[in-house]
Amino acid sequence: SNFEDNNGGFLTYKMWQSIRANTNQIGDEYFRSLIKLKIIKNSINHTCKNIDNAIWEWSDGNVYTTWDVMKLTYHYTPLYKDIITFAANKNTLPRPTGCTIELIEDT
């Protein structure tokens, strides 16, 4: 993004480092939420009831789960859209082995 502004057009390591740091930052609240999800994922028995209860408590009722054959669906309010999408990308949402995850925003 700074090719025209940089004297000669080269991207130096220091510039790359500052660009990378700015684009990869997440807020403290998101980071705490991800840590809590990872703790849930690593510490509970992955049964329907345990996952349902843990996610409901973690989100204060803003996220709930529904189940189908080999599919777990996370329903979330718009407030939780970013964190649920990010958690899915980072593989921190709890699920039983072999189940796929679907994300649905409730409006």
Side-chain angles (χ1 to χ4, degrees), residues 45-61:
N45 187 0
H46 289 95
T47 63
C48 299
K49 181 176 177 12
N50 288 342
I51 291 174
D52 291 348
N53 291 342
I55 294 300
W56 184 262
E57 289 176 21
W58 166 78
S59 68
D60 294 325

Side-chain angles (χ1 to χ4, degrees), residues 1-106:
S1 66
N2 65 347
F3 184 81
E4 299 289 330
D5 303 337
N6 193 4
N7 190 15
F10 292 101
L11 180 63
T12 63
Y13 176 74
K14 284 290 186 187
M15 284 188 247
W16 177 81
Q17 191 176 26
S18 66
I19 291 169
R20 183 173 175 252
N22 288 337
T23 57
N24 289 337
Q25 289 179 350
I26 60 172
D28 290 343
E29 290 301 316
Y30 280 177
F31 190 65
R32 281 189 205 101
S33 294
L34 285 175
I35 290 173
K36 289 176 185 176
L37 273 176
K38 191 67 172 179
I39 290 169
I40 290 169
K41 182 178 181 178
N42 290 337
S43 65
I44 67 169
N45 187 0
H46 289 95
T47 63
C48 299
K49 181 176 177 12
N50 288 342
I51 291 174
D52 291 348
N53 291 342
I55 294 300
W56 184 262
E57 289 176 21
W58 166 78
S59 68
D60 294 325
N62 289 296
V63 180
Y64 66 94
T65 55
T66 57
W67 297 82
D68 200 358
V69 178
M70 301 304 287
K71 182 170 79 172
L72 170 57
T73 305
Y74 281 84
H75 301 266
Y76 55 90
T77 61
L79 177 67
Y80 276 75
K81 178 181 181 176
D82 292 335
I83 189 65
I84 290 294
T85 305
F86 195 68
N89 290 335
K90 292 295 183 180
N91 196 25
T92 56
L93 292 174
R95 67 178 172 88
T97 303
C99 281
T100 60
I101 292 178
E102 183 179 5
L103 306 176
I104 296 179
E105 182 176 358
D106 292 338

